[in-house]
C-alpha cells in the first residue's frame, strides 16, 4: 500500500469513529419520524430504540396485573420490532381515538367501560397529544403505556364483544356445547390488524336478535331500579347471543327449554313450531344434598337432577315403535318401588326384566324385598306399543348424556303452562309431523305411517297397508310388535338451547328462568357490567 494512502486512512478512521459516537449516522426509527412530523417537534428524531426498550420492559413488568392476557401480550412484544406497532399504525390516523370511543360506548353491550381500563387509555392518549415533553426520554413511559393499554383493551374488547365475557362450560350446569374462544394465534392476529376501525366494526354482533336486545337494554336502563329484572334477563341473553357456536347447520331444530317449545329453522325461515316437555328442575339445595349423599351413599339422600342439558348434535335416525331401555336411576328410584307395591305392575306395563343379561320369564313372582335398591341386579325394558312411555317415535342423535326427542303416551301434559316434567329427554307435541319432515321423501314417510297403523298418503300402497294390518290381527299367529329404524335427512342439527329473552317480531319475549341458569350466568358476568 502506498505511504500516502496509509496516512490518509490513519486520518479518516478516527474521524469516522468520532462521527459514529456522536450519532451523526444514526437512523431515526419509524415511530420517531412519524411523531416528529406530526407534532413538528424535533425531539422525536432523537428516539433511541435501546433506551426505549429498557423503559418498555419495565412497564410491561409493572402492568402485569392490569393487562388482559398478559402472557399473550408478553410473547407478542418479545419481538422488539413490535413495541410501538399500534402507536405507529393508529395514533396519527386517529384510530386509537376510535378504539377509545368504542370502549367508552361499551355500555351498549352492557359492559362497564372500566373493564377495558378506558380511563388509563384515555389518559395516555391525552398525555401524548399534549406534546409537553422537554426531551424524548420523557415520552418513553407514555408511549410504552399507550402501546400496552391499547393492546390490552383491544384484546379484551374483541373477546368480550365478539365471543362473550364468560366461557359457559365453566359456569353452567349441564352445558355440553362447545363454544369458540380466541386462542393466542387469534389474539396475535387481532394485534397485527392493518385497520383498527374495520376490526372494531367487524367485532360487533350483527344478528337482528342482538340488535333488538341492545335497543331494549338502552330503553330499560333509563329507569334501572324499576326495570332491574328485565335488565338482568336482557344482559344474560345478550351474553348468550355473543357465544360463537360452530357446527350449527343451515337447517336445524332448536328446543328452547324455558319456552317449552321447538322451532324448526331452514335458512332462518321457520318450518314448524310446536310445544315440548323438558326435564324437571333439580331439587332445591341440590349442592348441599349432594354433599350429604357423598358421605352416606344412600339413594334416599341422592338429590334428583332431571334437567335437560344444553347440547348440539345432528339427527341420525328415527326409531318407530321404540323399546325403552329404562335408565338405572329410574329403575332404582321408581320401577323398584312400583314393583314392590304391585306384583303385576311390570307385566301390566309391558316391561321385561333381565337378570345378568337373561330374560326373567315370570316377573310377577320376583320377591323384590330380597334385593337391595342400592344394588339392584336387574335391567328393565319396556316393549313397543301404545303404552310405551316413549310413544311411537324416538328421534336419535349422538350425545354423551343419553338424551333424545320422543313421542309420549301422555298427551295431556302439553296442556300445562309449565312443562318441565320429564326425566331429561324432550317430549314432542307433534311427532308424526316432525317425522315427516325428517325422513327422506314421501315413500319412506308412507312406510313409517304404516308401521304405526296409519294409511299411506300414496293410495296405490293401500294393498300393502291392508296386509300389514291383517298380519297384526291374525289370532292364529301371535304378532310381536318390534322397533323399526328409519334414516333421517343428512345434516339437520338439533340445538337444545336455553333462552329467557329473545327478539320476536321486533320486540323482546321473556320467559321464566326455569333452571336458574340466568342466576348462575349473571353471577359470573356481573363484575363486568
Amino acid at each position: 500500500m502506498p505511504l500516502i494512502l496509509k496516512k490518509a486512512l490513519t486520518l479518516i478512521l478516527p474521524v469516522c469513529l468520532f462521527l459514529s459516537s456522536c450519532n451523526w449516522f444514526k437512523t431515526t426509527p419509524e415511530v420517531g419520524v412519524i411523531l416528529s412530523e406530526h407534532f413538528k417537534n424535533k425531539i422525536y428524531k432523537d428516539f433511541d430504540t435501546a433506551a426505549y426498550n429498557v423503559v418498555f420492559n419495565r412497564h410491561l413488568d409493572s402492568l402485569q396485573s392490569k393487562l388482559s392476557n398478559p402472557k399473550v401480550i408478553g410473547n407478542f412484544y418479545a419481538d422488539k420490532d413490535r413495541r410501538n406497532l399500534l402507536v405507529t399504525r393508529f395514533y396519527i390516523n386517529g384510530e386509537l381515538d376510535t378504539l377509545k370511543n368504542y370502549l367508552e360506548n361499551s355500555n351498549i353491550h352492557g359492559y362497564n367501560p372500566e373493564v377495558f381500563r378506558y380511563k388509563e387509555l384515555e389518559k395516555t392518549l391525552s398525555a401524548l397529544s399534549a406534546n409537553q415533553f422537554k426531551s424524548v426520554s420523557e415520552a418513553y413511559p407514555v408511549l410504552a403505556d399507550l402501546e400496552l393499554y391499547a393492546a390490552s383493551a383491544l384484546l379484551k374488547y374483541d373477546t368480550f364483544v365478539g365471543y362473550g365475557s364468560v366461557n359457559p362450560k365453566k359456569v353452567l350446569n349441564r352445558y355440553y356445547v362447545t363454544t369458540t374462544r380466541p386462542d393466542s394465534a387469534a389474539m396475535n392476529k387481532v394485534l397485527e390488524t392493518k385497520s383498527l376501525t374495520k376490526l372494531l366494526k367487524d367485532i360487533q354482533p350483527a344478528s337482528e336478535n342482538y340488535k333488538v336486545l341492545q335497543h331494549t337494554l338502552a330503553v330499560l336502563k333509563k329507569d334501572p331500579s324499576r326495570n332491574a329484572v328485565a335488565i338482568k334477563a336482557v344482559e344474560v341473553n345478550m351474553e348468550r347471543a355473543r357465544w360463537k357456536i360452530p357446527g350449527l347447520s343451515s337447517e336445524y331444530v332448536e328446543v328452547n327449554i324455558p319456552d317449552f317449545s321447538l322451532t324448526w329453522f331452514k335458512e332462518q325461515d321457520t318450518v314448524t313450531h310446536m310445544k315440548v316437555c323438558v326435564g324437571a328442575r333439580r331439587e332445591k339445595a341440590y349442592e348441599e344434598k349432594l354433599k350429604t349423599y357423598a358421605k352416606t351413599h344412600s339413594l334416599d339422600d341422592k338429590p334428583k337432577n332431571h334437567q335437560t342439558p344444553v347440547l348440539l348434535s345432528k339427527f341420525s335416525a328415527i326409531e318407530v315403535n321404540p323399546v325403552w331401555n329404562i335408565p338405572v336411576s329410574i329403575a332404582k328410584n321408581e320401577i323398584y318401588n312400583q314393583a314392590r307395591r304391585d306384583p303385576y305392575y311390570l307385566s301390566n306395563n309391558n316391561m321385561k326384566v333381565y337378570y345378568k343379561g337373561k330374560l326373567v320369564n315370570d316377573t310377577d313372582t320376583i320377591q323384590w324385598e330380597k334385593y337391595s335398591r342400592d344394588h339392584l341386579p336387574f335391567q328393565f325394558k319396556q316393549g313397543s306399543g301404545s303404552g310405551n312411555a316413549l310413544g311411537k317415535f324416538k328421534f336419535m342423535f349422538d350425545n354423551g348424556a343419553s338424551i333424545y326427542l320422543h313421542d309420549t303416551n301422555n298427551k295431556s301434559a302439553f296442556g300445562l303452562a309449565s312443562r318441565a316434567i320429564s326425566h331429561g329427554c324432550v317430549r314432542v307435541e307433534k311427532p308424526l309431523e316432525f317425522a315427516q319432515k325428517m325422513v327422506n321423501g314421501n315413500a319412506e314417510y308412507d312406510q313409517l305411517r304404516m308401521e304405526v297403523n296409519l294409511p299411506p298418503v300414496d293410495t296405490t300402497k293401500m294393498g300393502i297397508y291392508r296386509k300389514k294390518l291383517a298380519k297384526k290381527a291374525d289370532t292364529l299367529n301371535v304378532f310381536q310388535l318390534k322397533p323399526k329404524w328409519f334414516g333421517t335427512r343428512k345434516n339437520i342439527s338439533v340445538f337444545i338451547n336455553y333462552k329467557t329473552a329473545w327478539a320476536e317480531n321486533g320486540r323482546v319475549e321473556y320467559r321464566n328462568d326455569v333452571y336458574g341458569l340466568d342466576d348462575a350466568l349473571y353471577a359470573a358476568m356481573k363484575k363486568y357490567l
Side-chain angles (χ1 to χ4, degrees), residues 33-54:
V33 173
I34 288 174
L35 294 177
S36 177
E37 292 177 356
H38 176 71
F39 288 116
K40 306 299 185 211
N41 189 336
K42 292 182 179 180
I43 67 166
Y44 294 105
K45 289 193 173 182
D46 294 331
F47 196 100
D48 186 319
T49 300
Y52 171 72
N53 282 338
V54 172

Side-chain angles (χ1 to χ4, degrees), residues 196-209:
L196 194 51
T197 299
K198 183 179 184 304
L199 173 67
L200 291 166
K201 184 178 179 181
D202 291 345
I203 288 170
Q204 309 303 308
S207 71
E208 186 62 25
N209 175 61

Side-chain angles (χ1 to χ4, degrees), residues 258-488:
D259 190 42
F260 312 117
S261 72
L262 173 156
T263 308
W264 190 313
F265 295 101
K266 187 173 184 180
E267 303 292 350
Q268 300 306 311
D269 291 330
T270 299
V271 175
T272 189
H273 181 82
M274 63 187 71
K275 297 175 181 178
V276 297
C277 298
V278 298
R281 182 170 182 167
R282 66 185 187 178
E283 285 187 29
K284 292 182 178 178
Y286 178 83
E287 299 294 342
E288 290 75 12
K289 291 180 180 179
L290 203 59
K291 291 177 183 177
T292 302
Y293 172 68
K295 294 177 181 178
T296 65
H297 301 290
S298 169
L299 284 179
D300 292 330
D301 293 328
K302 187 176 182 179
K304 293 181 177 63
N305 182 5
H306 296 313
Q307 291 182 184
T308 300
V310 177
L311 58 84
L312 175 65
S313 187
K314 282 187 170 62
F315 286 105
S316 56
I318 304 171
E319 185 181 359
V320 178
N321 297 317
V323 167
W324 183 29
N325 295 302
I326 299 173
V328 173
S329 59
I330 297 177
K332 290 180 176 180
N333 291 316
E334 298 178 30
I335 305 300
Y336 174 82
N337 292 328
Q338 294 278 16
R340 286 197 65 175
R341 283 194 292 266
D342 179 2
Y344 305 112
Y345 170 78
L346 296 170
S347 56
N348 287 340
N349 285 277
N350 193 21
M351 290 186 184
K352 295 181 178 180
V353 181
Y354 295 82
Y355 179 76
K356 295 183 178 180
K358 293 183 179 181
L359 179 66
V360 178
N361 292 319
D362 191 355
T363 60
D364 300 344
T365 62
I366 298 174
Q367 297 179 339
W368 295 101
E369 64 276 3
K370 291 184 177 181
Y371 301 98
S372 165
R373 183 164 67 103
D374 289 10
H375 305 286
L376 200 60
F378 300 104
Q379 296 80 45
F380 301 84
K381 292 184 179 183
Q382 187 176 41
S384 304
S386 59
N388 189 287
L390 305 183
K392 297 179 180 180
F393 303 96
K394 181 180 177 183
F395 304 94
M396 305 295 295
F397 45 89
D398 290 337
N399 67 93
S402 300
I403 297 297
Y404 43 84
L405 274 59
H406 66 91
D407 182 19
T408 178
N409 55 21
N410 180 16
K411 305 294 184 182
S412 63
F414 294 108
L416 300 174
S418 178
R419 295 187 291 277
I421 57 174
S422 81
H423 288 95
C425 290
V426 179
R427 305 175 191 174
V428 179
E429 180 189 20
K430 304 172 185 175
L432 185 64
E433 177 188 335
F434 195 74
Q436 181 181 12
K437 291 173 171 50
M438 191 72 67
V439 296
N440 293 287
N442 294 333
E444 194 163 13
Y445 177 56
D446 274 345
Q447 291 179 36
L448 181 145
R449 287 176 61 89
M450 288 187 283
E451 289 295 327
V452 294
N453 297 342
L454 292 173
V457 177
D458 182 354
T459 55
T460 63
K461 297 177 181 177
M462 287 301 294
I464 298 174
Y465 173 61
R466 293 190 187 97
K467 287 181 180 179
K468 283 182 174 290
L469 290 182
K471 186 177 180 180
K472 292 178 181 179
D474 188 351
T475 57
L476 297 178
N477 298 293
V478 177
F479 175 80
Q480 184 178 0
L481 189 63
K482 294 181 179 180
K484 183 73 178 282
W485 294 81
F486 291 82
T488 61

Side-chain angles (χ1 to χ4, degrees), residues 495-513:
F495 184 19
I496 300 181
N497 201 2
Y498 194 96
K499 299 184 297 186
T500 54
W502 69 94
E504 192 170 300
N505 300 320
R507 60 187 295 273
V508 175
E509 289 284 334
Y510 298 92
R511 294 296 182 270
N512 291 331
D513 182 18

Side-chain angles (χ1 to χ4, degrees), residues 1-10:
M1 183 180 292
L3 183 60
I4 189 169
L5 184 56
K6 287 183 178 180
K7 290 181 177 180
L9 287 173
T10 303

Side-chain angles (χ1 to χ4, degrees), residues 24-91:
W24 286 16
F25 294 138
K26 180 180 178 182
T27 301
T28 304
E30 184 181 8
V31 64
V33 173
I34 288 174
L35 294 177
S36 177
E37 292 177 356
H38 176 71
F39 288 116
K40 306 299 185 211
N41 189 336
K42 292 182 179 180
I43 67 166
Y44 294 105
K45 289 193 173 182
D46 294 331
F47 196 100
D48 186 319
T49 300
Y52 171 72
N53 282 338
V54 172
V55 175
F56 186 91
N57 287 334
R58 188 167 64 244
H59 281 239
L60 178 60
D61 290 339
S62 66
L63 293 177
Q64 287 292 305
S65 63
K66 293 185 176 182
L67 299 178
S68 64
N69 304 288
K71 187 174 181 180
V72 172
I73 290 174
N75 290 336
F76 184 82
Y77 287 111
D79 182 346
K80 296 178 181 179
D81 293 336
R82 291 171 165 171
R83 293 184 171 181
N84 278 300
L85 186 64
L86 299 180
V87 173
T88 302
R89 284 182 177 173
F90 305 124
Y91 176 70

